[in-house]
Amino acid sequence: MNRKIRVTVNGTARAVEVPTYRTLLDCLRNDLGLTGSKEGCGVGVCGACTVLLDGKMISSCIALAVSADGHEVTTVEGLAGDERLHPVQQAFIDAGGFQCGICTPGQVVSAKALLDANPNPSDAEIREWMLGNLCRCTGYYKIIESIRAAAQRSRA
Amino acid sequence: MTFTQECVIAVERERLWDFLMEVPRVASCVPGVEGVEAIDAKSYRGNLRVQIGPIRLSLHGTMTVDEQDRAAWRARMRAEANDRRVGGGIRARMSLTLAPGEGGTRLRIETDLAILGRIGEFGQPVIKKKADALLEEFAQNLGSKLGQGG
Amino acid sequence: MRAFEYAAPRTLDEALAVLREHGDEARVIAGGTALVTMMRQRLVSPGYLVSLRDIRGLDRIEADNGGIRIGALATHRDVETSPLVRERLPVLAETFRRVASVRIRNMATVGGALAHADPNQDPPVTLIALGARVEICGTDGRRALPVEEFFRDYYESALEPGEVVIGVVVPQLAPASGAAYVKFLPRTADDYATVAVAATVSVDPDGERCRAARIALGSVGVTPIRARGAEGLLAGQRFGAELLRGAGEAVKGAVDPLSDHRGSAAYKREMAGVMVGRALTRAWDAALVSARGTR
Amino acid sequence: MAHRIIGKPIGRVDGTEKVSGAARYSGDVSVPGLIWGKALRSPLPHARIARIDVTRAKALPGVLAVLTAKDLPGILVGRRMFDMPLLARERVRFIGEKVAVVAAADPDVAEEATTLIDVEYEDLPAVIDPEAATVAGAPVVHDDPGAYEGAPAERPHANVQSVLRFKLGDVQAGFREAARTFEHTFRTQLAHQGYLEPHAGVVAIDEDGRVQVWASNKMPFRLKELLSHALQLPQEKIRVNLTPIGGDFGGKGSLMDLPLAYHLARVTGRPVKMVMRYAEELMAGNPRHPSVITLRTGVSRDGQIVARSVRALFNSGAYAAFKPAPSVSLGGASMGAGVYRIPNLLIESFCVYTNNIPCGHARSPGEPQMVFAEESHMDMIARELALDPAEFRRRNLLRDGDHLANGHHLEHVRAGDTLEAALKASEYSEPKPGPWIGRGMAMTHRHIGVGFTNAVVRLGTDGRVTLRIALPDTGTGAHLVLRQVVAEVLGVAMDDVEIELATTDDFATDSGVGGSRVTHTGGRAAYHAAEKLKAQIEAEAAKLGVPADSLAAIARAAAREGRTLEASHFYDAKAHGAVTSFTAQVAEVAVDPQTGQVTVRRFTTTHDVGTVINPLGHQGQIEGGLIQGLGFALMEEIKTEEGRISTLSLGDVKLPTIQDIPPLTTVILEDPVGPGPFNAKAIGEGSISAVAPAIANAVADACGARILDLPITAEKVYFALKEKERRP
């Protein structure tokens, strides 16, 4: 019960044949070789698998690959431009917004979506938007600082 | 997890006892049970179909009567059943006691139920609730069947 | 997950036909947050999946007879951010905002969540308090029923085989009325409620007595419930601590919670009483503001 | 001495890879021909395996191998005590124990095949409760644990894995001296480390028989030794390749599924990847031990502690295999003495076998449990004595020259300074802003880790420096610290030092990551290697007559003569007991009297530390540990019912979210006396353990409810308040 799907991933059109039961996350990681998105909890709670589907954050671990057919997916690998990190990525480095890094792809994808939607978020807005991205290393303080710094940098 | 159900069935103790000790007939009072057949004098096999929300279980297994003590009006049995599709099963130990009750016989069923494997990932509280409801229905069916003079 | 057939029809009729054809083996998928999770856990293994995502027009949120009609495919985030909802029924936007995280709200649909019939969800509680109706469509036609009658048991709804939820219609609040949703989260901010209460209160023109109230609770049993007993106590009464205590006691008697990781049945029962008081107080305050506005 | 680079808040060296998704964790490793392994686990806590039938599983299209214990050698594995089979043989001892393993090219097919394996079990009586496990006649989990390799000799009961004892003075005599004696019992919950990367590993067997391993394991050399033992292969046949680790917190030091991946690779001839689902992590990871701890303290008339006895029972579950310490116990038990001078002390700690999930190490193994008990006990005594808890602590704090429970003599004791700084920063003595608000404090201290580490420093012809190490990156920022150390010594810019990761082929041994050791051991190895290289550079410069900072020219000159300027150092840190780091924390909480809900309004954490090498990373360690402590205090719990874990997802085991963190004040007391490079100490395990007792003490202060068992849920506080109403 395989199906051929066409997905634009990080701006590139891709066609891939997958079993219907393939999650979008496994499709990205195993079929397309994009291992930046991670599987943590596997039930949509931790956010390590966050990608953008048509610009909106989703949990790719509980999305079927077939449901992305004809849509656009942005993963962490698609954030940086040529040779240059996205301001959110740079801010996470400068402000210590990660440690082990396993949740970081999901964090930066979510933070990018936040700043796209709201370039000047308050701390409360950052906390509300980022609620679904768990981090076990940082205690979140520096994630908030990173997003604040990225917002500031984008405004400058 | 353990539960206790009690109900009064409007028949005398001897009649209820005799009914209860005939496993295939009793099993027909359990909602969802089908195809019960004897393996030997003490054990039986059969299926239990049960739906817990979106999860449909088809449990296939055995039941063994470990003790029938008519003098004490007590019987013990155990059931083991598995669902292949979901990957998991149940184990239950049940103890039935009969005592005189107002207007009939008081049946007390004590159950110690274990949920095995993946089924448990759905959430034990729900399953407990379901099992509770199932046993309650069983007691009702029993009552009505015997009440009908069955 | 186990292998299954997948169809993504473009019309509702087509979807219904596929559902009828495949009977018990088929399941409807919309946002998939609940279904795919259970499929991954192998608790549910449908042979056929019918996706509603490609059906046009099912995601509309529109004005309807002074109230709002929300299409089944609208996501939780759509409802939360809808200017129409925010303007006419801010309590509904607020309720949807309390569901999980933005990411899950982007995925989960209104119809999918209703059909999932999980008694721990937020939206059904407020929908019941607001007197909303679910619209259901099957091959034999359409029907609608109050949300409070839609939930039948743990994860079981009134949907018949072959039927799908196509929308929910929420009436506007009566004049001089207020509504509130209170979600009690004693553990983490992203949890399901330990107890959730939604209440609407209408005040008399004098602003001292309660004309009518509706109260609904979630996470207190196998379905979300409406607390009619407590509602009855409130009608025509003067608002105050005494009345709230009475309502709380009535609710405690009406709920039948399950003990789980979010609290024991005994604790949830107590909290149902406390949260009803809080929800009524907030709804009352909002009703007074509304009454002043109308005067 | 002023430093150029040490003490600067520099961002992460591995940053680009991690923020861009390029970092390859072990679960991301892909090699040609890769297939997937999945395990079938026991549904019963204790049972005899009567029969296993794999026929149907093997017949499933796509299945490449199905293995059960009879296909494997009867090896027992462990980190110190070897008591765990690769797959259950004859008997299962906990729900989640692996019974069979399947390989298939598609992970979903492998998973499907596990459901087609038929296992017939015969129930055995199970023992779930650790207190019940040690009474006479209790069901025995292992028939003869003393026979296991690495088993401690002392065994008062067949279900006791290990006994750990600390003694000072004469405890009985001490109690006779006491004017008053207090005794309290505390309990702590089963808790997962909470790393978001489940255990993952890839095993590939090269054509020449070499076994290549990529694993989420922080001790590559120990892993090689353990694999050599488990696979019955010489060590040189095994190569562990280093990958970043997605969170460790003590949990990533065991073999986990690697031996099974090897055997699947062996029988299929394909590389095998095994990744645990998070549900498997929660039922069969190696979580933090639950505990039952009783403290008894004798106090003199003037509020001095004169004697203390402590009895700790740690529920270790079905196997001792996950504990790495030679004692097969939890060193945190020694914290029963707290940060106090206790002349007469007896601590006895027991790790107990039960038919539960086997427990292992978690950040500060044993300490959050013991410090919760000990520091709650301290406050309860202070309250009974009508003393301010700060004052009671002050009277008993450790001082220079005092002994720790483990016999170490202490120097540079800053317990008092740390406490006073915390009290000041938290405004502990100020009036409280309202009713139902309370403040509570707790203290702890932690040693600086020891071990042995290699470093090779090489000067490239481009003038850049390469630091070669075999320490995996678990996310603590250690690689950055090591880079800073090298840059400082050699006088080069940070960007001119890069890390090159070695494999286990490249050094003889290395103790790896863990136990707050890397800044110390790795830092000193890097420091000495860099010093040696510096000497070489200076000698070359003198020979060439160029300034010593003309690094590229010096390196090129050496290269022309066929030489590479390179220096290595193997640093073996011996136990350094004289210096520890003190922590004092103050929580301010509000309790909702109607619901029992506890809100942490503000939190103050104060640390007595050595030289801070990287303030950004240092603070990150404090914050991360603290929020783990907060989760342990208020939210997290793996719930079990008769050995069955009922919280099998992160939707049920709640880790703190970004909205659950309190406003935080950090106070750093820097005192350059540590054994690490530039007199650094350790920080990774300093902030976690005192959080729960600080909050428990604050809750008691706010509302009078004393919670003796973690986590402090709203429900527990609510019913404690009800109880108080009933019996004031």
Side-chain angles (χ1 to χ4, degrees), chain D residues 6-31:
Chain D
I6 299 297
K8 301 289 185 292
I10 295 162
R12 295 291 298 270
V13 56
D14 47 7
T16 308
E17 295 230 302
K18 285 183 178 174
V19 299
S20 66
R24 293 262 162 167
Y25 297 78
S26 48
D28 303 332
V29 169
S30 183
V31 283

Side-chain angles (χ1 to χ4, degrees), chain B residues 3-147:
Chain B
F3 330 67
T4 303
Q5 261 97 18
E6 273 196 352
C7 56
V8 175
I9 314 261
V11 292
E12 65 279 20
R13 193 145 61 161
E14 289 73 13
R15 191 158 155 244
L16 182 56
W17 177 264
D18 292 343
F19 183 88
L20 286 174
M21 291 311 109
E22 210 174 301
V23 170
R25 202 158 48 150
V26 181
S28 69
C29 294
V30 181
V33 164
E34 52 192 39
V36 176
E37 52 183 63
I39 303 170
D40 55 41
K42 295 209 154 182
S43 42
Y44 303 83
R45 72 166 72 87
N47 293 310
L48 170 65
R49 279 176 186 282
V50 57
Q51 179 154 2
I52 306 168
I55 306 170
R56 292 175 201 146
L57 298 176
S58 175
L59 294 155
H60 181 77
T62 58
M63 188 169 106
T64 309
V65 180
D66 288 329
E67 183 192 332
Q68 286 177 327
D69 185 349
R70 198 169 198 269
W73 300 104
R74 190 180 61 221
R76 284 185 218 280
M77 45 200 70
R78 80 196 124 91
E80 292 184 20
N82 294 306
D83 181 301
R84 287 230 163 99
R85 225 167 139 71
V86 171
I90 57 158
R91 295 214 164 183
R93 285 169 196 282
M94 295 172 81
S95 159
L96 272 58
T97 42
L98 304 186
E102 212 171 294
T105 305
R106 179 169 294 275
L107 167 65
R108 185 182 165 90
I109 307 171
E110 287 169 273
T111 309
D112 186 353
L113 176 71
I115 310 294
L116 316 181
R118 283 179 190 277
I119 303 171
E121 286 184 39
F122 187 62
Q124 311 257 343
V126 189
I127 296 165
K128 181 165 178 161
K129 198 96 186 174
K130 190 75 190 185
D132 217 1
L134 209 68
L135 283 164
E136 204 167 298
E137 210 176 317
F138 164 69
Q140 274 169 13
N141 289 348
L142 199 63
S144 62
K145 198 154 221 169
L146 279 163

